RNA sequence: GGGCGGAUAGCUCAGUUGGGAGAGCAUCGGCCUUACAAGCCGAGGGUCACAGGUUCAAGCCCUGUUCCGCCUACCA
């Protein structure tokens, strides 16, 4: 078997795993801690250990991989730092579910044993997503893989916690937080997803104490009334200005609570009376603290009513709502019920309705941190791309609220704070303290809460590189070059990394943040398990190959627009991969054993043209990738490879390659072919790593991996020494003439196998010379048996005509021509020209245009007018001739 | 309530400083031309959401309207 004979179509499954193993074995993904090359670094957005690869990951990591592979080809020392996130709540839920299947709860198992079980679970399943990333071709430096619960990263977490605490940026306190009864933990504001809900607004009368009448308040959560400690009205509300009563009787509880005046109350809402429940509403909590109101917690952490709820104690909170309503109705205090749509918070992990709840939790004071993070973007130390996301970033950062970081779960970084059993004071320390730093007692009990998972991921860009140690890795790669992420975690993650990075490293964590879109289903709907519209990336990879899939993602990754994914699209790009494969296969048939020298002399027109185009495409792709315009880079390459290289170059040089034009031509075109294909493979490699690696090894004279090749540099352009203008103009002329002939062939229904005779008429000497020089090329491409170039003159009988670039193309169709059809064709063509011509003439008749438009534009329009008029005249002459002939 | 984005060919979408409306897929016609039928050659198809405005000139800039997404928010 000839070494260059390869399969007729590309079979991804035969090569992908092999090459991935090869890259790993050769350590081609490894970054050097330090070397003379410029450093380029990206930290991966760590996927949850519980996760499986979904479309979002696939897009996210494909884009990162494209950047990393591109920078490596450019000669950079690239670090793509991989790892996974311990995903506290999500992982705990998974393992708890597993326990539940065995009929156990985590409380029965106990904290230590439970955590062991989670680690064991991770051993077993935690690598799934890593292996899936490898299937995607991700070129991460796997030897450096990190996990947010690793000892090193945990050390970073403790240090950050302690320092922030000492700086007064972490505090503990009793506040209203979001509580999920299902996950049994507090959540940060961000972790609550709001959903419009059709509920009811209940109007309830609170009778004045000792007087007739009362104040009507409105609420969507009537069960919380049991915890009301006041009724508020606006100080300026005239309806309540002369109120004699200063208190009301809280129905069902028979508690006397004060009427207070607070400007928070919106006089236009309902009756202007507001019930105040400090323990179960954030606003009420604020009002409560302004007026020194007690907070009565009636809903417990387990979702059941507390003892404070009196007769309702022990009821589920939703059942209690019904019971309260019924009781109120019986007492005639339920004045009105009206439908009301409002946003209800749900837990982002389990979907359960979240309750605002009074609770002692730990918080980060974010304002001071946010200020610097805002400034960093404003001053351009970090660029957010596309730029409009920075507005969203500012909006959120400027209105940031303190971040609740404690979680009442077990899986995570346990908060390094100890309470003294003797004096009750806190000792916060990186290492387990021996004694209380306040009273010296030794009875210390560690805080049982763990930290929000996002607390540790906020440190990711530097904790993964060895911080708090001053490692060479940090020296070389911090700040990282770019962060590639979806906008859904802009606040969760990016904003917090900015705050922590600046605070602890004194420098921003990344130079660029590239925010990509979401992958949706083909109808534009968000993919979700419950909708059942998810497309599994692995299934797609199995069916079409990784490269097709990656190229699809890149081709659709236009900035600021979501990607609608369907298998059909991927199939289309598989055709492209196959096209590339076959173009290479064809090329290999015409290559020797070695890499040929770069050709400099004796280049044919197609040779000069393709090298010119190659240089242009090279520059375009580099510019597009430098600007994160992935879709443009992919589109440019697609267009070039298929429609310039395959459709025109390869077709044009077939006579040369087959030796029909002599040995010298054969060698020259072979050489150009080799160099062009070589560069195409390198340019495409970041997008489609597997097929390019495979073809690279078939390309004669290459060594090692294509990953070690060099991305063509503009200053070493293949087109050096070539008159670009001449090559492009001449080729454009050839293409136009060939296309004109083909169009006539198609429209006149002449079989492609029939060789044609054409005559080209032009009055332009130079054009005539170019046509004569490349006549054979035209003949080959248009399937002609005869081509003559002549000055304008008499037209032959029975010829179909077309005019391109001032050249009249006469296709002789003796005995074949259908005059009616030709008349129709010409009339249609002339009609089109007339339409265009009238537009142009209208412009030229406009005095304002002539006076105010730039000269260049006016000249351009004039030239167009002349060309169109000339073309029209030529076509019309022919039309009249045929019509006259037809009449005879 | 605030903010962001979208509306361009049958479908999915490009369109980078305002100057002759593009691609892929789909459709129609012709081809097994020795790399590829997962292919080749050709063709048809658009009031650039609507209404105004700026300009010699608007898919692009400005104003407003409609529809569709998304993010964010402490009106009970």
């Amino acid at each position: 078997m000839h070494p260059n004979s390869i399969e007729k179509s590309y079979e991804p499954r035969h090569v992908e795993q092999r090459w991935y193993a090869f890259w790993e074995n050769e350590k081609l993904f490894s970054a050097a801690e330090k070397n003379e090359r410029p450093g380029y670094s990206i930290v991966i957005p760590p996927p949850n250990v519980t996760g499986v690869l979904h479309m979002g990951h696939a897009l996210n990591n494909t884009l990162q991989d494209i950047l990393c592979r591109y920078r490596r080809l450019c000669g950079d020392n690239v670090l793509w730092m991989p790892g996974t996130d311990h995903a506290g709540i999500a992982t705990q839920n998974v393992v708890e579910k597993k326990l539940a299947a065995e009929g156990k709860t985590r409380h029965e198992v106990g904290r230590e044993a439970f955590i062991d079980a989670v680690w064991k679970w991770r051993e077993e399943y935690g690598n799934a997503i890593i292996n899936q990333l490898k299937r995607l071709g991700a070129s991460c430096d796997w030897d450096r893989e990190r996990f947010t619960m690793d000892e090193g990263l945990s050390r970073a977490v403790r240090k950050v916690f302690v320092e922030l605490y000492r700086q007064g940026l972490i505090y503990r306190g009793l506040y209203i937080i979001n509580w999920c009864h299902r996950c049994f933990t507090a959540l940060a504001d961000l972790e609550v997803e709001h959903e419009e809900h059709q509920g009811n607004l209940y109007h309830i009368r609170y009778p004045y104490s000792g007087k007739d009448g009362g104040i009507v308040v409105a609420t969507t959560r009537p069960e919380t009334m049991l915890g009301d400690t006041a009724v508020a009205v606006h100080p300026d509300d005239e309806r309540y200005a002369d109120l004699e009563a200063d208190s009301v009787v809280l129905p069902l509880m028979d508690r006397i609570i004060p009427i207070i005046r607070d400007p928070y109350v919106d006089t236009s809402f309902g009756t202007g009376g507001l019930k105040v429940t400090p323990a179960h509403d954030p606003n009420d909590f604020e009002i409560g603290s302004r007026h020194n109101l007690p907070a009565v917690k009636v809903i417990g952490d387990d979702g059941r009513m507390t003892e404070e709820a009196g007769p309702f104690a022990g009821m589920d909170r939703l059942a209690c709502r019904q019971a309260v309503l019924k009781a109120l109705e019986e007492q005639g205090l339920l004045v009105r019920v009206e439908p009301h749509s409002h946003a209800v918070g749900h837990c982002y992990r389990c979907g359960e309705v979240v309750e605002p709840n009074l609770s002692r939790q730990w918080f980060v004071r974010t304002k001071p941190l946010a200020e610097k993070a805002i400034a960093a973007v404003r001053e351009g130390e970090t660029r957010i791309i596309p730029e409009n996301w920075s507005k969203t970033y500012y909006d959120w950062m400027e209105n940031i609220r303190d971040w609740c970081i404690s979680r009442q779960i077990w899986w995570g970084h346990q908060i390094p704070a100890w309470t003294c059993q003797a004096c009750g004071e806190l000792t916060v320390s990186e290492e387990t303290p021996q004694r209380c730093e306040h009273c010296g007692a030794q009875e210390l009990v560690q805080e049982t809460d763990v930290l929000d998972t996002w607390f540790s991921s906020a440190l990711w860009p530097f904790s993964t590189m060895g911080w708090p140690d001053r490692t060479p890795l940090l020296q070389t790669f911090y700040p990282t070059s770019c962060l590639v992420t979806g906008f859904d975690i802009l606040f969760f993650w990016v904003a917090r990394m900015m705050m922590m990075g600046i605070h602890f490293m004194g420098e921003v964590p990344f130079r660029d943040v590239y925010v990509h879109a979401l992958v949706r289903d083909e109808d534009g709907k968000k993919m979700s398990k419950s909708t059942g519209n998810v497309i599994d990336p692995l299934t797609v990879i199995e069916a079409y190959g990784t490269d097709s899939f990656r190229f699809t993602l890149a081709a659709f990754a236009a900035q600021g627009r979501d990607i609608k994914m369907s298998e059909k699209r991927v199939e289309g790009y598989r055709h492209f991969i196959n096209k590339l494969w076959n173009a290479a296969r064809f090329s290999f048939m015409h290559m020797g054993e070695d890499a040929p020298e770069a050709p400099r002399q004796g280049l044919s027109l197609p040779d000069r043209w393709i090298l010119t185009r190659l240089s242009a495409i090279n520059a375009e792709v580099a510019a597009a990738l430098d600007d994160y315009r992935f879709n443009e880079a992919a589109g440019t390459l697609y267009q070039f490879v298929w429609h310039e290289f395959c459709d025109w170059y390869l077709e044009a040089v077939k006579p040369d390659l087959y030796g029909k034009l002599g040995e010298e031509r054969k060698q020259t075109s072979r050489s150009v072919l080799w160099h062009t294909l070589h560069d195409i493979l390198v340019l495409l490699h970041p997008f489609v790593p597997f097929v390019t690696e495979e073809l690279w090894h078939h390309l004669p004279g290459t060594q090692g991996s294509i990953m070690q090749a060099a991305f063509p540099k503009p200053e070493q352009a293949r087109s050096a020494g070539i008159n670009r203008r001449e090559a492009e103009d001449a080729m454009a002329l050839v293409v136009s003439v060939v296309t004109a002939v083909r169009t006539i062939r198609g429209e006149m229904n002449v079989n492609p196998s029939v060789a044609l005779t054409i005559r080209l008429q032009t009055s332009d000497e130079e054009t005539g010379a170019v046509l004569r020089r490349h006549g054979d090329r035209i003949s080959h491409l248009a399937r002609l048996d005869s081509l003559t170039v002549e000055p304008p003159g008499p037209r032959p009988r029975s010829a179909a005509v077309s005019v391109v670039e001032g050249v009249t193309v006469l296709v002789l169709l003796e005995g074949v021509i259908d005059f009616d059809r030709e008349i129709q064709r010409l009339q249609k063509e002339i009609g089109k020209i007339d339409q265009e011509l009238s537009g142009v003439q209208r412009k030229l008749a406009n005095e304002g245009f002539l006076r105010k438009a730039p000269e260049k534009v006016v000249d351009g329009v004039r030239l167009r007018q002349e060309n169109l008029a000339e073309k029209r005249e030529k076509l019309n002459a022919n039309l009249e001739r045929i019509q006259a002939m037809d009449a005879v």
Side-chain angles (χ1 to χ4, degrees):
Chain A
M1 192 162 145
H2 189 274
N4 282 340
S5 92
I6 61 177
E7 289 177 64
K8 198 170 168 180
S9 58
Y10 175 59
E11 294 298 335
R13 62 183 72 238
H14 295 174
V15 305
E16 290 182 359
Q17 315 241 353
R18 193 174 81 237
W19 288 127
Y20 199 88
F22 170 74
W23 294 328
E24 279 200 289
N25 291 337
E26 299 287 316
K27 299 275 176 215
L28 294 173
F29 303 155
S30 297
E33 286 205 338
K34 218 173 177 58
N35 70 14
E36 70 291 347
R37 289 177 291 144
Y40 183 89
S41 54
I42 291 182
V43 290
I44 201 170
N48 294 352
V49 275
T50 54
V52 288
L53 193 80
H54 58 61
M55 281 291 166
H57 296 125
L59 172 66
N60 180 249
N61 289 289
T62 293
L63 298 183
Q64 290 175 74
D65 196 48
I66 288 170
L67 291 175
C68 287
R69 287 178 184 271
Y70 167 61
R71 301 309 308 200
R72 276 191 208 101
L73 291 172
C74 290
D76 289 1
N77 175 23
V78 173
L79 169 64
W80 186 5
M81 176 68 78
T84 48
D85 189 291
H86 69 279
I89 299 174
T91 308
Q92 171 148 335
N93 282 351
V94 168
V95 177
E96 278 194 285
K97 229 174 250 173
K98 201 177 157 226
L99 285 180
E102 299 162 15
K104 288 184 276 188
T105 70
R106 70 172 152 118
H107 297 282
E108 288 164 18
V109 173
R111 184 164 187 147
E112 232 170 277
F114 179 78
I115 289 172
D116 283 347
V118 180
W119 278 106
K120 248 176 89 184
W121 183 90
R122 171 185 133 79
E123 289 295 305
E124 209 166 330
Y125 303 103
N127 259 338
I129 195 149
I130 296 298
N131 292 326
Q132 290 170 333
L133 286 173
K134 292 181 178 181
R135 285 296 303 279
L136 195 66
S139 59
C140 302
D141 190 349
W142 295 113
D143 293 337
R144 300 186 194 278
E145 185 185 335
R146 297 286 190 273
F147 180 50
T148 46
M149 288 286 283
D150 281 350
E151 176 45 38
L153 276 71
S154 301
R155 196 174 131 224
V157 166
R158 285 197 302 273
K159 184 168 175 74
V160 164
F161 185 93
V162 172
E163 283 198 19
L164 288 177
Y165 181 78
R166 301 227 160 110
Q167 291 161 355
L169 293 171
I170 282 183
Y171 62 92
R172 192 176 67 158
L174 194 61
Y175 294 94
I176 289 277
I177 46 81
N178 306 287
W179 182 264
C180 176
H181 301 98
R182 229 286 313 133
C183 299
F184 211 83
T185 181
L187 298 171
D189 297 333
L190 264 182
E191 294 171 314
V192 178
E193 289 176 347
H194 294 277
E195 239 177 76
E196 266 318 291
H197 231 264
Q198 193 55 52
N200 290 318
L201 192 59
Y202 303 93
H203 296 253
I204 306 166
R205 180 184 310 279
Y206 286 14
Y208 295 132
S209 65
K211 289 198 182 64
D212 289 341
I215 292 183
V216 175
V217 299
T219 180
T220 54
R221 295 186 301 151
E223 68 280 11
T224 62
M225 68 159 291
L226 304 173
D228 284 2
T229 53
V231 166
V233 296
H234 195 280
D236 303 334
D237 195 332
E238 288 175 6
R239 288 170 292 186
Y240 303 107
D242 304 321
L243 216 53
E244 283 171 33
D246 58 2
S247 59
V248 294
V249 179
L250 181 63
L252 310 185
M253 301 300 286
D254 292 328
R255 188 158 73 222
I256 298 196
I257 56 176
I259 298 170
I260 58 170
R261 288 163 204 278
D262 193 285
Y264 168 77
V265 181
D266 179 357
T267 52
S268 65
F269 192 93
T271 58
L274 172 73
K275 64 190 269 310
V276 181
T277 324
H280 295 291
D281 184 281
N283 296 308
D284 294 6
F285 179 78
E286 296 286 320
I287 297 171
S289 27
R290 278 200 290 275
H291 296 269
N292 286 318
L293 298 173
V296 178
K297 189 162 164 174
V298 290
I299 303 174
D301 292 346
D302 57 357
R304 293 177 176 281
M305 306 311 286
T306 64
E307 291 304 316
E308 299 281 3
F312 301 95
M315 288 181 87
D316 176 82
R317 69 194 197 280
L318 292 177
C320 176
R321 175 174 299 178
Q322 296 314 315
V324 164
L325 286 170
K326 187 156 171 267
L328 286 170
E329 201 164 11
E330 283 166 4
Q331 298 185 20
L333 294 171
L334 187 57
V335 179
R336 195 150 60 93
V337 180
E338 57 180 359
H340 181 75
S341 138
H342 61 124
V344 176
H346 297 262
C347 171
Y348 84 138
R349 284 299 176 213
C350 75
E352 179 75 13
V353 172
V354 162
E355 300 283 347
N357 216 344
L358 188 65
S359 185
R360 184 178 304 278
Q361 301 287 343
W362 293 84
F363 298 85
V364 172
R365 207 181 298 283
T366 43
K367 269 255 161 4
L369 298 170
E371 275 164 19
K372 287 182 187 166
I374 292 167
V377 174
R378 276 208 205 288
E379 285 156 22
E381 285 175 60
T382 294
R383 289 193 309 157
I384 298 181
I385 300 144
E387 204 273 330
N388 48 307
W389 282 110
S390 46
K391 192 173 164 48
T392 310
Y393 171 88
Y394 294 139
D395 283 352
W396 190 75
M397 279 291 205
E398 281 161 4
N399 299 303
I400 199 165
R401 285 178 298 159
D402 284 357
W403 172 19
C404 174
I405 50 170
S406 42
R407 298 290 176 273
Q408 287 63 52
I409 57 173
W410 289 347
W411 176 238
H413 300 102
Q414 197 169 347
I415 290 177
W418 286 259
T419 306
C420 176
Q421 299 302 95
C423 72
E425 294 291 323
L426 278 171
T427 298
V428 169
S429 155
E430 280 181 58
E431 303 304 330
T432 306
Q434 295 309 307
R435 52 188 73 239
C436 171
E437 63 184 22
H438 301 278
C439 72
Q442 294 186 19
E443 289 75 39
L444 296 171
V445 176
Q446 187 172 4
E447 170 68 75
T448 53
D449 289 359
V450 301
L451 288 164
D452 181 3
T453 307
W454 296 103
F455 189 89
S456 54
S457 26
L459 319 181
W460 188 249
F462 50 94
S463 65
T464 51
M465 294 190 196
W467 189 89
D469 295 335
R470 286 174 50 99
T471 61
L473 211 56
L474 280 169
Q475 294 265 322
T476 307
F477 294 113
Y478 192 96
T480 63
S481 313
C482 180
L483 180 82
V484 180
T485 184
F487 57 75
D488 48 335
I489 51 174
L490 193 60
F491 307 140
F492 274 112
W493 194 46
V494 181
R496 287 162 179 171
M497 282 192 288
M498 286 292 286
M499 294 192 281
M500 294 298 193
I502 293 168
H503 191 72
F504 286 96
M505 296 297 295
E507 248 189 306
V508 293
F510 8 77
R511 293 287 167 221
D512 287 354
V513 175
Y514 178 70
V515 181
H516 64 248
L518 241 56
V519 184
R520 299 172 176 280
D521 75 358
E522 54 186 318
D523 301 319
K525 285 202 280 277
K526 203 168 176 172
M527 288 189 187
S528 79
K529 270 187 204 155
S530 50
T531 318
N533 60 345
V534 287
I535 304 177
D536 178 3
L538 273 299
T539 311
V540 176
I541 286 173
E542 285 294 332
Y544 303 99
T546 300
D547 290 329
S548 309
F549 179 47
R550 287 172 56 121
F551 204 84
T552 308
L553 290 169
F556 282 96
Q559 289 187 2
R561 191 157 201 147
D562 287 346
I563 297 178
K564 292 180 191 165
M565 175 56 63
S566 80
E567 293 206 16
K568 216 165 159 220
R569 307 243 158 90
V570 184
E571 191 182 350
Y573 286 101
R574 182 181 59 170
H575 295 174
F576 173 67
I577 304 294
N578 194 53
K579 186 74 180 175
L580 171 71
W581 178 265
N582 274 290
R585 189 164 79 98
F586 172 76
S587 303
F588 297 150
M589 291 174 185
H590 297 282
M591 286 176 184
E593 305 268 309
D594 303 307
E597 290 289 306
R600 282 286 169 253
Q601 288 173 337
L603 297 172
S604 67
L605 172 60
D607 289 340
R608 297 197 301 280
W609 171 76
I610 200 69
L611 292 175
T612 297
R613 292 296 304 144
L614 182 62
S615 297
I617 261 52
N618 180 357
E620 276 178 45
V621 170
L625 286 179
D626 289 340
D627 287 345
Y628 305 102
R629 288 175 285 130
F630 297 94
N631 62 318
E632 288 183 35
T636 298
L637 284 165
Y638 181 98
Q639 169 69 24
F640 174 69
V641 169
W642 199 317
H643 298 301
E644 298 191 275
F645 179 64
C646 291
D647 287 354
W648 288 101
Y649 181 71
L650 290 183
E651 292 305 327
V653 297
K654 274 181 179 173
D656 309 58
L657 293 170
Y658 282 113
K660 291 179 180 164
L661 305 175
E663 187 59 22
E664 198 179 327
R665 257 299 149 69
K666 185 169 161 180
Q667 293 310 330
T668 308
S669 53
R670 277 183 168 194
S671 162
V672 173
L673 180 58
W674 187 94
H675 287 277
T676 306
L677 183 62
H678 173 279
D679 284 8
I680 284 175
L681 292 179
V682 176
L683 292 173
L684 275 173
H685 178 258
F687 300 87
V688 288
F690 294 106
V691 68
T692 48
E693 181 74 86
E694 174 73 9
L695 291 172
W696 180 260
H697 289 262
H698 287 286
L699 186 70
T702 54
Q703 283 173 345
S705 167
I706 191 171
M707 287 186 65
Q708 294 157 307
F711 199 86
K713 289 201 165 56
E715 61 269 25
Q716 300 158 354
R718 298 287 189 197
S719 57
I722 295 173
N723 182 342
R724 280 184 64 155
R725 190 57 185 275
E726 182 273 336
E728 291 193 339
D729 288 354
M731 191 67 185
L733 185 62
V734 169
V735 166
S736 295
V737 171
V738 170
T739 303
V741 176
R742 285 173 176 173
T743 302
I744 287 172
R745 201 190 270 278
E747 292 184 343
M748 301 303 281
N749 247 332
V750 178
N751 194 296
S753 58
V754 176
L756 296 169
T757 297
I758 71 166
R759 289 161 65 176
L760 301 172
Q761 300 187 339
T762 175
S763 53
D764 185 69
E765 286 291 324
E766 212 174 308
T767 304
V770 173
L771 290 171
R772 257 186 283 273
R773 203 175 309 137
H774 304 299
D776 289 347
R777 200 65 72 181
I778 295 170
S779 295
H780 164 246
L781 289 168
R783 282 218 161 213
L784 308 176
D785 58 8
S786 165
L787 174 149
T788 51
V789 181
E790 60 197 30
R795 310 266 159 90
R797 279 184 60 86
S798 55
V801 68
S802 177
V803 178
V804 289
E805 315 225 356
V807 178
T808 306
V809 181
L810 297 158
V811 179
L812 274 57
L813 295 167
E814 195 75 50
V816 185
I817 191 161
D818 176 337
F819 288 104
D820 287 341
R821 187 170 245 182
E822 175 67 359
I823 288 168
Q824 241 175 29
R825 207 176 63 78
L826 289 173
Q827 280 172 337
K828 199 181 77 186
E829 182 73 14
I830 290 167
K832 264 199 229 169
I833 292 172
D834 281 342
Q835 223 175 1
E836 225 181 310
L837 208 48
S838 73
V840 171
Q841 278 162 345
R842 206 176 319 122
K843 268 192 177 176
L844 290 173
N846 184 341
E847 208 184 308
F849 175 71
L850 296 176
R851 208 173 54 239
K852 294 188 179 172
E855 204 176 331
K856 229 173 117 181
V857 174
V858 177
D859 287 350
V861 175
R862 281 220 177 87
L863 186 66
R864 251 177 71 218
Q865 195 232 8
E866 283 167 30
N867 290 341
L868 285 168
E870 186 196 335
K871 186 168 175 176
R872 187 191 192 286
E873 195 204 336
K874 286 175 179 169
L875 290 172
N876 199 47
N878 219 63
L879 175 63
E880 283 173 357
R881 232 187 74 259
I882 292 178
Q883 280 172 328
M885 232 161 54
D886 202 31
V888 172

